[in-house]
Amino acid sequence: MSESLTKSNTGELGQAMHQLMAELYPICRSITGDGVRESLRRLQQQIPLTIHEVPTGTQVFDWTVPREWNVRDAYVKDANGVKVIDFQQCNLHLVNYSVPIQQKISLAELKQHLFSLPEQPTLVPYRTSYYQENWGFCVSDHLLQSLAEGEYEVYIDSTLADGHLSYGEYYLPGESEDEVLISCHSCHPALCNDNLSGLALSTFLAQHLQTEPRRYSYRFLFIPGTIGSITWLALHEAQTAKIIHGLVVACVGDPGQPHYKRSRQGNAEIDRAVIHVLQQAGEPYQVLDFSPYGYDERQYCSPGFNLPVGSLTRTPHGRFPQYHTSADNLAFVQPQYLADSLALYIAVCDLLENNYCYLNTNPKCEPQLGRRGLYSVFGGRKETKTDELAMLWVLNCSDGHYSLLDIAERSGLPFAQISQVAAILKQHGLLTGCSA
Ligand code: ZN
């Protein structure tokens, strides 16, 4: 584990991530609009990300960047002038991308524009209507059932007009131009695990990596789901050749166990790195095969790109009852789980950074380790025996074909230990770098 993430500060980091989410929570985000910009500007206080603006109408593969949606206010008043539904109370109440309206209508007509969850009658659902002009409100089923007959005033002060799609990008250069892509979606309003936890984790991961020596370059994308990744890929097609590892970050703050969804390639280095980290963490986890559903890995792993991009989450989308409801709130995501997830991401980056391939400089029989003092460098440590075993594995497998992760997998020893002994063997001239 990295120096800067120790047991003593994970608590603080989890709290800080949660605090950032609490600040972003009231902002009404969508796939476009000022809520996204405001959220990205808040993240700019943590990391120097760039906000890019792509004009409405831009053709991006089979899609078109949509009109920009902004909302100032929305409510429904009953016959007595009482606001029975109020966007200012909870931004989930307004169907995302609702067109403007000011009208008096009957209850029956209003009900055609109300969405509730009869199975979860106290929760407000999250609904969008990006590509079909419409308007609507989301309410608890309890509220829906309580509405009396009569006339209602519907008011939505929104605009749907030519503008831009905004996304955030932070490029952190390393020694190599080969890139690790970290992508999260920024398009949901007051939803925590599905959306804000990814923004918070990506931001704190970027902050951490800023302070570390970096072999790879890192590209962080804060983009609206689906249309954002399609837009980025369409505008940066040539650059995608540099992406050699990638992860889509979402749902990283709930109490569920970690889940890793493999890239479409299935056994890319990123897939093996994440699975090794999860194995070594010693807690229950699950590995899922790729499927063309979920978050932006769908676009990164589309056949024309087929990038090695997986997704490391806790409970995957749609599998927790709070998903896309008002219950996916600041109480559902907790600092300890955010910190645990961040530690996993940092461990994956550490592994990728250190997964070198070496050549044994003395491949004919074992080198005499005792003569070089290598049996004693580990003296006094409990791990001495396995360190010796790790050294023998590294020496035996370093024929130019095995990376350190290959050796860790084959030996069943932790990558961190394999990497540590390899560094010592290198210092003693018993290993040399190779480019495989
Ligand atoms: Zn979602």
Side-chain angles (χ1 to χ4, degrees):
M1 176 132 326
S2 173
E3 297 272 328
S4 66
L5 194 79
T6 57
K7 276 223 162 71
S8 59
N9 74 359
T10 47
E12 273 167 47
L13 279 172
Q15 291 292 349
M17 290 164 77
H18 197 266
Q19 176 57 35
L20 175 61
M21 292 172 61
E23 289 174 40
L24 296 169
Y25 185 72
I27 302 172
C28 185
R29 279 164 297 278
S30 181
I31 53 173
T32 62
D34 289 333
V36 180
R37 293 189 187 95
E38 191 183 339
S39 302
L40 294 173
R41 282 197 295 267
R42 175 62 191 84
L43 299 184
Q44 279 179 326
Q45 295 171 19
Q46 313 279 136
I47 51 171
L49 62 79
T50 304
I51 301 176
H52 296 277
E53 302 280 358
V54 183
T56 299
T58 305
Q59 195 65 30
V60 286
F61 299 126
D62 200 39
W63 298 58
T64 307
V65 172
R67 285 181 291 168
E68 181 178 326
W69 183 67
N70 283 293
V71 55
R72 284 157 294 280
D73 198 10
Y75 57 77
V76 176
K77 280 183 181 170
D78 67 12
N80 301 318
V82 175
K83 280 185 190 174
V84 289
I85 307 168
D86 186 359
F87 166 77
Q88 305 293 348
Q89 297 290 314
C90 167
N91 59 38
L92 293 177
H93 279 315
L94 183 64
V95 170
N96 212 289
Y97 258 69
S98 284
V99 294
I101 185 170
Q102 183 167 20
Q103 208 176 323
K104 291 198 170 168
I105 57 175
S106 67
L107 177 62
E109 208 180 328
L110 174 63
K111 279 189 172 172
Q112 290 175 15
H113 293 271
L114 295 185
F115 300 89
S116 73
L117 297 165
E119 319 263 285
Q120 295 171 294
T122 62
L123 305 183
V124 178
Y126 163 57
R127 291 279 185 282
T128 65
S129 189
Y130 300 141
Y131 300 104
Q132 206 170 25
E133 272 193 31
N134 206 337
W135 64 269
F137 286 89
C138 299
V139 293
S140 72
D141 202 57
H142 278 167
L143 183 111
L144 179 70
Q145 301 305 335
S146 74
L147 293 174
E149 287 297 334
E151 197 176 57
Y152 286 86
E153 182 194 346
V154 174
Y155 178 73
I156 300 175
D157 179 13
S158 65
T159 49
L160 187 55
D162 284 357
H164 294 84
L165 176 151
S166 318
Y167 69 89
E169 184 168 27
Y170 179 39
Y171 180 73
L172 195 53
E175 281 165 36
S176 160
E177 286 190 352
D178 288 342
E179 286 181 15
V180 181
L181 175 71
I182 303 290
S183 177
C184 61
H185 64 290
S186 56
C187 52
H188 291 21
L191 293 168
C192 284
N193 202 36
D194 177 14
N195 181 178
L196 292 182
S197 70
L199 295 180
L201 188 144
S202 300
T203 302
F204 279 75
L205 179 62
Q207 275 187 339
H208 168 82
L209 291 169
Q210 279 175 338
T211 65
E212 300 277 304
R214 289 176 304 277
R215 168 187 179 190
Y216 292 122
S217 298
Y218 290 80
R219 187 179 300 278
F220 291 84
L221 293 180
F222 302 84
I223 49 175
T226 307
I227 187 67
S229 51
I230 292 171
T231 297
W232 190 87
L233 287 165
L235 301 180
H236 302 88
E237 193 168 349
Q239 265 169 263
T240 60
K242 293 187 175 146
I243 297 172
I244 60 162
H245 312 295
L247 288 172
V248 168
V249 192
C251 302
V252 286
D254 67 279
Q257 63 190 36
H259 284 66
Y260 178 65
K261 176 180 169 182
R262 290 178 186 271
S263 71
R264 180 177 181 270
Q265 296 182 20
N267 204 29
E269 189 176 334
I270 185 67
D271 300 314
R272 294 168 50 214
V274 176
I275 292 165
H276 186 81
V277 164
L278 291 172
Q279 278 168 353
Q280 294 300 322
E283 303 289 335
Y285 65 92
Q286 283 191 44
V287 176
L288 309 169
D289 281 334
F290 175 77
S291 73
Y293 194 63
Y295 293 109
D296 287 308
E297 67 277 8
R298 293 157 66 164
Q299 313 310 330
Y300 301 125
C301 295
S302 56
F305 288 103
N306 199 23
L307 298 174
V309 176
S311 182
L312 177 56
T313 64
R314 298 185 81 87
T315 309
H317 71 95
R319 294 206 196 169
F320 47 97
Q322 296 84 351
Y323 176 73
H324 280 188
T325 75
S326 51
D328 182 1
N329 57 24
L330 290 162
F332 176 53
V333 288
Q334 290 172 34
Q336 69 195 92
Y337 306 120
L338 291 165
D340 282 356
S341 301
L342 178 62
L344 290 174
Y345 271 83
I346 288 174
V348 170
C349 293
D350 277 353
L351 193 159
L352 295 172
E353 287 282 327
N354 292 296
N355 188 25
Y356 288 100
C357 182
Y358 291 110
L359 270 177
N360 181 340
T361 58
N362 187 95
K364 291 182 178 166
C365 301
E366 292 173 2
Q368 197 180 351
L369 296 174
R371 177 161 68 78
R372 295 175 169 85
L374 286 174
Y375 273 155
S376 60
V377 274
F378 308 109
R381 287 179 49 198
K382 270 189 197 160
E383 304 85 359
T384 299
K385 276 290 159 215
T386 59
D387 277 342
E388 286 171 10
L389 187 60
M391 265 193 296
L392 296 176
W393 272 110
V394 171
L395 288 168
N396 186 278
C397 291
S398 291
D399 59 0
H401 292 100
Y402 285 82
S403 71
L404 296 184
L405 178 57
D406 293 326
I407 302 172
E409 287 177 341
R410 185 159 182 183
S411 66
L413 294 169
F415 179 87
Q417 188 176 30
I418 292 290
S419 170
Q420 201 175 31
V421 301
I424 292 167
L425 292 169
K426 197 175 163 214
Q427 279 166 20
H428 283 80
L430 290 171
L431 292 180
T432 181
C434 76
S435 55

